[in-house]
Amino acid sequence: MTLHTQTIHELRAQLRRSKVSAREVTQALLDRIAALDRKLKAYIWLNRDDALAQAEAIDRTGAAKDGKPLAGVPIAIKDLINVEGQPCTCASKILQGYVAPYDAFVIRQLREAGAVLLGRTNMDEFAMGSSTENSSWGVTRNPWDLERIPGGSSGGSAAAVAADEAIAAIGTDTGGSIRQPAALCGCVGLKPTYGRVSRYGLVAFASSLDQIGPFTKDVEDCAILLGVLAGHDVKDSTSVAQAVPDYTRALGKSVKGLRVGIPKEYFIAGTDREVAAAVRGAIQKLQSLGAEIVELSLPHTEYAVAVYYLIATAEASANLARFDGVRYGLRVAGDDPIEMYRRTRGAGFGPEVKRRIILGTYALSAGYYDAYYLKAQKARTLIRRDFEKAFEKCDVIVTPTSPTAAFKAGEKMDDPLQMYLSDVFTLSVNLAGICGISIPCGFTTRPKLPIGLQIMGKPFGEEMILRVAHAYEQATEWHLQRPNL
Amino acid sequence: MSEKTSDIDISYVAYLARLGLTEAEAAQFSAQLKDILKAVEKLNELDVTNVEPTAHAVPLTNVLRKDEVQPSIASADVMRNAPQQARGLFIVPKIVEQG
C-alpha cells in the first residue's frame, strides 16, 4: 500500500484502526518529496524533524482514535500563512529571514484537528500572479508536464497535492489563486465565501477579496478540510459569526431537480476548444444526473478584469506599505527614513509586486481616486448584483475555471495583461464575495493536461457547491488520474 | 480619465509609494502601465451614477468586541525579527533635524 497516494478519508480510517501510524504516513510523504521535489519545486521550506515530531506526538496522544478530523494527516501550507517558529516569506526577498512569532487562525484550527504541518509551498510573490513564476525562490513545475507552470498564485500547494507530495494543502484565493492552479494541476480547490474563514495570520494582499481555502484530491476531502478551516474569529472582524455545518453531510445527495445556471458570457471565443468541449460535456453529465440547465446572463462580466485590477492593486498598495524595513524582514540602509524605505522596497520587491504597487498607488492618488478606485467599487456593485439576480434563477452556476490548460513557463511573463486574463473566469467570484470550487472535468489530448470545472454558489452556499461537485465527481473518473512522474 | 492616462508620472507615483525603481524598471513599467490603464478604461462605458460603491462583499458594520486585556506576543519574540534593534527598541535613521 502506498501511503502518499491516499486521501484524507482513506487515511483516516486506517489511522483510527491503528493500521498505520502518523509517523509512517509523514515519513512516506517526506520520502516522496525527497524523490520528486527536486524537479517539481512545490516546496520552498521543509523541516523533516519537526514534521516527524508532530506526527509522533499525534501517535502518542492517540488523537486519531479520539476522532480528531485530521489526526496524522500531513498538510502543506502556502508560504503566506503564519506558522509559529517557521519562516513566512510570501516568496519575497523582503521577508527573507522572518520567523513567524504566532499561528494564524487556520493553523490553530489545523493543529487542533491533529494535522501534521508538512512544509511551506511556493507561490507568486505576495500572491500576485497566475503561474507561480513570480517567486523569488524559483519556478514550480506542473506535475503533468514539467515544461509548464502549475498556475498561481498557490501553484506550490496545487502541485504538491497533484503529485502526491502532500495529502492536502492550504492556499489563498484573491482572484482565482486556489481555483485556477487546482484546475491546471488536476485537483480540487475551493474558495470559501468571503468571511467564512478567518484571515488572522494571513499576510494581506487585497483585504476585501482574500480568502483561505483547501486543495485536496477529491471532493470528500475538500468538505472535511473546509470544515476544519471555517469558523468565526474575533481577531478578524470580517469573519462572519455563522455556524459551521458538517460539510460532509452535503455529499452523496442527488442533483435531481437542482437548477444549474450557465452564463453565456463565460462561453466565448478565446476559450481553448478542448476546455470548452470538456465543460460542455460536464454540463451534459449534470443534466443526465437530473439537474435542470438554466441559460442565464451575468452582463457585467466583461468589466471584471478592470474592476479587479484596480481594487486589488489599490488595496495591495496600502497593505504592502508595512514592509518598510523597520520591524521585520530586509533593510537596506539610507540616510533618512524615506531613503531607507525606498531602497529597502526597491531591493526587496520583485517586478510584478512593484508594478501592482505603482498601479494601486496611482489609482488611489489625488485626482484619480474618483475616476479609478471609486468607479471600480461602483462597478463591483453591478457585478455583485448580477450574481444576486442570477441566483434567483439557479442553485449553482457552472463555468470553465480557466480559459486554457496549463501554459508553458515563460510564455506570458513579458505581457502582464495576458497573464491577468488567465483569471478572467475566477475573479468575479471574489468581487461578489461568493464561493466557488474547481474540480477536474477532463484532459486536453496533446499534451495531456487537466481541465477544471468551476461551480459557483451563493454566499455561504458551500454545501450546495460541494453537493454538485461530489455528484459529478462520483459519476466520473477524472479525479482518479495521476500524472506520470 | 482617458486624457490623463498618457502622462502617468512614474517617478512621482514611485515616490508616493516609497518605492525605489531603477531607470530600466521605470521605463518598462511606464509602458506596461499605459497598456493596463488603457484596458481599465473600459469602465468608462459604464454608467454608475446612483450606484453605491461596494467596499466589502459581506455587509458587516461596526463589529465590536469587549475591550479586555488579553495575552499578546512577547516583546522579545517580536524583536527577534527586527533588522536593527537595541534594548527592545527598533533603530531607524534619524527623523528629526538636530536643533
Side-chain angles (χ1 to χ4, degrees):
Chain A
M1 180 182 57
T2 55
L3 290 172
H4 57 266
T5 59
Q6 308 277 302
T7 61
I8 296 174
H9 55 92
E10 287 164 352
L11 272 179
R12 205 151 73 154
Q14 298 165 53
L15 284 156
R16 273 181 194 166
R17 281 183 267 124
S18 298
K19 298 230 169 179
V20 62
S21 70
R23 194 189 197 285
E24 287 170 302
V25 176
T26 299
Q27 187 62 57
L29 268 305
L30 291 172
D31 291 346
R32 176 78 173 172
I33 294 166
L36 274 188
D37 210 49
R38 200 180 301 249
K39 49 183 179 181
L40 217 55
K41 295 191 172 70
Y43 286 89
I44 54 182
W45 184 88
L46 205 60
N47 183 336
R48 291 178 174 77
D49 294 341
D50 177 62
L52 289 170
Q54 291 177 56
E56 282 163 10
I58 300 285
D59 286 331
R60 259 198 319 277
T61 55
K65 288 204 189 75
D66 295 345
K68 290 202 174 185
L70 298 176
V73 177
I75 290 180
I77 310 292
K78 187 179 183 181
D79 192 37
L80 79 175
I81 297 170
N82 279 275
V83 175
E84 189 179 343
Q86 295 188 4
C88 179
T89 71
C90 303
S92 179
K93 280 189 262 179
I94 210 160
L95 275 171
Q96 191 160 24
Y98 170 82
V99 177
Y102 70 106
D103 278 342
F105 175 85
V106 293
I107 298 301
R108 285 209 305 267
Q109 298 284 98
L110 288 169
R111 287 196 202 273
E112 185 60 33
V116 172
L117 306 174
L118 197 51
R120 306 190 64 79
T121 55
N122 201 12
M123 55 185 282
D124 287 297
E125 185 179 4
F126 285 104
M128 297 178 185
S130 310
S131 67
T132 312
E133 289 168 289
N134 298 327
S135 166
S136 302
W137 319 130
V139 177
T140 300
R141 301 288 163 169
N142 190 307
W144 293 88
D145 179 349
L146 298 175
E147 284 181 21
R148 289 168 195 269
I149 54 87
S153 65
S154 313
S157 289
V161 171
D164 293 313
E165 287 189 8
I167 303 300
I170 306 300
T172 59
D173 190 316
T174 304
S177 282
I178 290 175
R179 290 158 288 153
Q180 186 257 19
L184 270 46
C185 288
C187 48
V188 175
L190 184 143
K191 186 210 87 79
T193 303
Y194 187 80
R196 178 70 291 184
V197 178
S198 166
R199 293 178 294 112
Y200 177 71
L202 162 69
V203 179
F205 160 16
S207 304
S208 79
L209 303 165
D210 297 341
Q211 272 291 292
I212 299 170
F215 282 94
T216 56
K217 295 176 190 176
D218 66 15
V219 176
E220 185 174 346
D221 278 8
C222 184
I224 293 168
L225 192 46
L226 177 64
V228 171
L229 301 176
H232 178 241
D233 175 17
V234 290
K235 288 189 169 159
D236 175 3
S237 60
T238 64
S239 88
V240 175
Q242 186 161 323
V244 179
D246 178 353
Y247 291 110
T248 60
R249 297 186 71 167
L251 310 179
K253 291 183 184 167
S254 156
V255 293
K256 199 161 281 177
L258 290 186
R259 296 162 305 164
V260 172
I262 310 298
K264 61 174 188 231
E265 291 81 4
Y266 285 68
F267 294 85
I268 42 159
T271 298
D272 176 82
R273 194 176 42 79
E274 287 182 294
V275 170
V279 172
R280 291 274 176 208
I283 293 164
Q284 277 167 15
K285 181 57 115 182
L286 287 170
Q287 196 167 18
S288 76
L289 294 171
E292 183 196 330
I293 304 303
V294 183
E295 305 271 348
L296 51 81
S297 172
L298 296 165
H300 296 95
T301 298
E302 58 178 321
Y303 302 102
V305 175
V307 172
Y308 177 83
Y309 278 95
L310 287 171
I311 290 176
T313 57
E315 292 184 11
S317 73
N319 274 325
L320 269 59
R322 77 193 59 187
F323 300 103
D324 56 8
V326 173
R327 290 155 300 162
Y328 34 65
L330 179 76
R331 173 187 292 194
V332 180
D335 290 340
D336 59 73
I338 289 186
E339 199 49 37
M340 182 187 83
Y341 304 151
R342 295 181 69 175
R343 286 186 185 170
T344 299
R345 292 158 64 78
F349 290 134
E352 181 61 20
V353 174
K354 287 180 183 169
R355 202 152 36 226
R356 294 201 197 190
I357 290 175
I358 295 279
L359 178 59
T361 304
Y362 181 71
L364 287 177
S365 63
Y368 300 99
Y369 178 89
D370 284 0
Y372 290 112
Y373 186 64
L374 191 61
K375 183 142 202 184
Q377 283 194 313
K378 289 180 174 179
R380 183 177 182 182
T381 303
L382 300 176
I383 290 168
R384 202 165 50 104
R385 282 187 198 154
D386 281 356
F387 281 98
E388 281 167 9
K389 280 194 204 124
F391 281 123
E392 287 169 8
K393 296 188 211 127
C394 64
D395 299 294
V396 294
I397 294 172
V398 165
T399 74
T401 306
S402 185
T404 66
F407 44 92
K408 284 193 172 160
E411 198 177 310
K412 299 187 181 181
M413 279 305 272
D414 295 330
D415 192 344
L417 257 180
Q418 276 309 307
M419 188 72 95
Y420 296 173
L421 289 175
S422 68
D423 293 331
V424 65
F425 295 149
T426 47
L427 33 85
S428 290
V429 168
N430 302 74
L431 291 169
I434 60 175
C435 59
I437 188 171
S438 180
I439 57 171
C441 75
F443 290 89
T444 60
T445 44
R446 269 185 308 270
K448 184 181 178 182
L449 299 168
I451 297 169
L453 181 74
Q454 178 172 234
I455 305 169
M456 309 173 184
K458 298 171 193 174
F460 297 94
E462 281 82 0
E463 287 164 288
M464 182 58 81
I465 59 174
L466 286 164
R467 172 179 168 184
V468 175
H470 191 250
Y472 174 80
E473 178 192 82
Q474 293 305 303
T476 57
E477 293 191 332
W478 310 116
H479 66 292
L480 300 176
Q481 303 207 30
R482 287 286 177 276
N484 258 329
L485 280 158
Chain B
M1 59 195 183
S2 53
E3 317 85 68
K4 285 173 177 174
T5 55
S6 50
D7 58 8
I8 170 166
D9 182 349
I10 197 105
S11 58
Y12 176 64
V13 179
Y15 174 76
L16 289 178
R18 306 291 186 259
L19 189 60
L21 298 180
T22 63
E23 268 177 43
E25 281 176 329
Q28 192 198 21
F29 294 167
S30 286
Q32 287 170 332
L33 284 174
K34 213 180 269 185
D35 288 347
I36 294 169
L37 288 172
K38 212 166 181 184
V40 160
E41 272 170 24
K42 187 162 181 58
L43 290 183
N44 283 336
E45 298 168 8
L46 280 177
D47 181 8
V48 291
T49 34
N50 304 321
V51 178
E52 284 290 309
T54 294
H56 269 270
V58 180
L60 292 167
T61 42
N62 296 340
V63 179
L64 302 172
R65 60 173 166 81
K66 282 201 180 123
D67 186 17
E68 288 167 334
V69 177
Q70 280 178 6
S72 56
I73 302 164
S75 164
D77 290 335
V78 173
M79 295 312 290
R80 203 161 291 144
N81 282 308
Q84 251 190 301
Q85 55 128 338
R87 284 174 286 158
L89 302 170
F90 299 105
I91 294 179
V92 293
K94 190 159 49 179
I95 296 170
V96 192
E97 298 279 334
Q98 228 155 11

